[in-house]
Amino acid sequence: MAEENGQSYIDYDAFVDPDFSPTSFANSLVIATNNPSDIPIDLSTPLSRVLFDIQEIDTHIHTLTTKSAIPLLTHTKDQADAGQRIVDEVEAQIASLTDGYQRLQKEVIQRYEEADQVRIAAERLWETVRIGRSVTRCLTLGRQLETQMTEVGGSAASGAQAKQEDHRAMVRASNTLLSVRHILAGSGPDEEGEHLSKIDLITYLQNSVLTPAETSLRNRAQQVIREFSMSSLAPSSNAPATYAQSEETKSRTTSALLTLQILNPRLLLAALQAYLRTSLTSSMASIARALGNLPTLDRTLLEVSARCQNIAALESLLDSIKPPQVDSTYSTGREEEQAGNLLEPLLVALDTSSLPSFFWRSLAEGLAPRVGDLVSKGGVSARALKTQRERVKDSIRECVLRGSQSPGGIRGKAGAWEREAAVMVGSVTGSLGR
C-alpha cells in the first residue's frame, strides 16, 4: 500500500485511520482554500478538490481490479469447483441415506405399524375378555345371592317339601353381597370393576338384585334384633319356651348381628341402640303409669325385669361374637377393626361398662322428673304412693336385682347391682319425702 501510495498525492493512511472524521476533513479543506477574513466563503474550490480525489481513488480501484482480475476469477472458479465437488459428494450420500430410509421404512416402520395395529387389537380383546370375566363373576355372584335370599325367606312351595327359613343364609348372602360390592367399587384403572358401571346388565343387576337384597337383609336383621327376647319372667310371644327354642333364638340373633356387621358396622350399632332405646321408653312409660295405679306395679316391674334380662342376655351374646373378617375397604373405623367382639363398640358408643347398668341408670334418670310431676299434682295416687313408700321401694329393688340376672341358658356378667338398685329406688322415692 505504501508503494502504491508513493505515486499518488492522496493520503490513504488518513482515510483508513479509525479516527478519521468526515466533518473535520471538510472543515480543513474549507480553511485551506479560504482566508479567515473573507465574508463570502468559496466552496467550489474544496468541492472540486474532493471530487478530484474521488475520481483519483476510483481510477486507482479500477487499475487494481484490472491487474488482479485473472487471480480473482481463478480463485472464484476454484472455490466454485470445490463447492460443486462437495455438493456432488453430499448428493451421493443423501441418495444413499434416502435408499436406506426407504428400505428401513419398508422392512421396519411398515412392519412396526402393522404390529402396532395387532397390539392395539390384542389389548382391546384382552380388555373385552377382562370385562367379560368381571361381568360373568358379578352375574354368578348375583345368581348365588338370589339363591341365598330364597333360603333366607324359605321356599314358596307348599306341602311337606317346602323349605324352612334358614337364618344362617343371611350371613352367607351378606358375604356374597359384599363380594359383589367389592368388585363394583374397584372402578379405578386396571381394577376388576373398571368400565362395569357402563354396562346395562350390571346396572340391571344392581337395581333388581343387589339393592333389594341389601334392603331385605337389613330389614330382616333389624327385625330379629327388635324382637330379641330370652326372658321367661313375663309372657311374650317371642320368648323361647324350651332349651332348643332358646338356642334357636340365640343362633338366629347371632346371624342377624353378623349380617348387619358385614353390611355396615354402623347399621349394627344403630339397631342395638334402637333396641335399648325402645326398652327404655317402654319401661319408663309403664312404670310411670303403674306408680299412678299401684295395683299394677308388680306386674309392670316384672315386665321391666324381663326387658333388662333380655338386655343382659344380648350383652352376653354380643360379648361371645367376634367381628367377621371383611375387606378393609368397607371398614368404618379403627375401633371396629381393633374390637375383639361386637360388644366393645356398643359400650364405647354408650360410654358405659355394662348394658344392664346403662339401662337402670338411664331409666332412673328419666323416671325422677315423672315421679316429681306425679307427686306435685297430688291426689289419691300421690297419697297412695307416699303411704306405700316402703312397699314400692322393696318392689323396685327386687325388680332391679331380678332383672340384672341373665335368663337361663346364658351366663351374664357379675356386677354390683346394689348400686343400680339404690339409684332406681332414689329416683322414685326421692320425690316422696320422709
Side-chain angles (χ1 to χ4, degrees), residues 166-221:
D166 183 6
H167 58 81
R168 295 176 183 83
M170 295 171 58
V171 180
R172 297 194 296 270
S174 300
N175 284 316
T176 302
L177 181 62
L178 196 68
S179 298
V180 181
R181 294 296 188 196
H182 178 64
I183 296 174
L184 298 178
S187 57
D190 298 329
E191 291 185 331
E192 191 173 6
E194 185 181 9
H195 305 306
L196 289 184
S197 60
K198 303 176 183 178
I199 299 177
D200 294 340
L201 189 59
I202 296 300
T203 303
Y204 175 78
L205 178 68
Q206 288 180 297
N207 296 335
S208 63
V209 178
L210 302 184
T211 301
E214 183 174 3
T215 302
S216 177
L217 287 172
R218 182 176 64 248
N219 293 340
R220 187 178 292 269

Side-chain angles (χ1 to χ4, degrees), residues 128-359:
T128 303
V129 170
R130 193 164 65 89
I131 294 175
R133 288 178 177 175
S134 299
V135 171
T136 302
R137 187 181 176 196
C138 288
L139 294 179
T140 301
L141 290 174
R143 180 57 183 165
Q144 178 178 330
L145 180 61
E146 286 182 327
T147 303
Q148 292 166 343
M149 292 303 299
T150 303
E151 296 173 356
V152 169
S155 118
S158 59
Q161 294 182 351
K163 294 183 179 179
Q164 296 182 351
E165 174 185 340
D166 183 6
H167 58 81
R168 295 176 183 83
M170 295 171 58
V171 180
R172 297 194 296 270
S174 300
N175 284 316
T176 302
L177 181 62
L178 196 68
S179 298
V180 181
R181 294 296 188 196
H182 178 64
I183 296 174
L184 298 178
S187 57
D190 298 329
E191 291 185 331
E192 191 173 6
E194 185 181 9
H195 305 306
L196 289 184
S197 60
K198 303 176 183 178
I199 299 177
D200 294 340
L201 189 59
I202 296 300
T203 303
Y204 175 78
L205 178 68
Q206 288 180 297
N207 296 335
S208 63
V209 178
L210 302 184
T211 301
E214 183 174 3
T215 302
S216 177
L217 287 172
R218 182 176 64 248
N219 293 340
R220 187 178 292 269
Q222 290 172 343
Q223 179 183 359
V224 171
I225 294 175
R226 282 196 306 269
E227 297 174 354
F228 176 75
S229 177
M230 294 291 295
S231 177
S232 59
L233 293 178
S236 173
S237 58
N238 298 324
T242 63
Y243 176 79
Q245 292 177 342
S246 176
E247 291 299 312
E248 176 65 19
T249 299
K250 289 190 292 182
S251 179
R252 183 172 60 253
T253 306
T254 298
S255 298
L257 295 172
L258 290 175
T259 297
L260 291 181
Q261 176 70 15
I262 292 171
L263 293 178
N264 191 335
R266 292 192 182 95
L267 289 176
L268 174 60
L269 198 60
L272 293 174
Q273 289 175 328
Y275 180 82
L276 294 174
R277 189 163 51 249
T278 300
S279 298
L280 280 171
T281 303
S282 301
S283 299
M284 197 177 303
S286 60
I287 291 178
R289 288 194 301 269
L291 291 176
N293 186 15
L294 290 181
T296 64
L297 181 62
D298 290 338
R299 178 177 177 82
T300 299
L301 293 179
L302 190 65
E303 294 175 352
V304 173
S305 296
R307 293 192 185 101
C308 187
Q309 281 196 355
N310 291 332
I311 292 175
L314 181 62
E315 179 184 52
S316 179
L317 188 61
L318 289 170
D319 187 52
S320 65
I321 302 175
K322 294 183 179 180
Q325 298 294 328
V326 297
D327 192 273
S328 60
T329 304
Y330 302 92
S331 177
T332 59
R334 184 175 301 174
E335 292 78 12
E336 286 87 359
E337 292 180 2
Q338 295 180 349
N341 52 53
L342 298 184
L343 177 63
E344 293 179 11
L346 179 60
L347 295 180
V348 171
L350 299 176
D351 192 19
T352 184
S353 60
S354 170
L355 295 185
S357 176
F358 172 80
F359 175 79

Side-chain angles (χ1 to χ4, degrees), residues 1-16 56-57 60-61 64:
M1 187 71 178
E3 182 179 353
E4 295 173 354
N5 289 341
Q7 299 177 359
S8 177
Y9 68 90
I10 298 176
D11 186 5
Y12 288 102
D13 293 334
F15 286 116
V16 299
E56 178 67 20
I57 293 172
H60 188 61
I61 292 174
L64 289 176

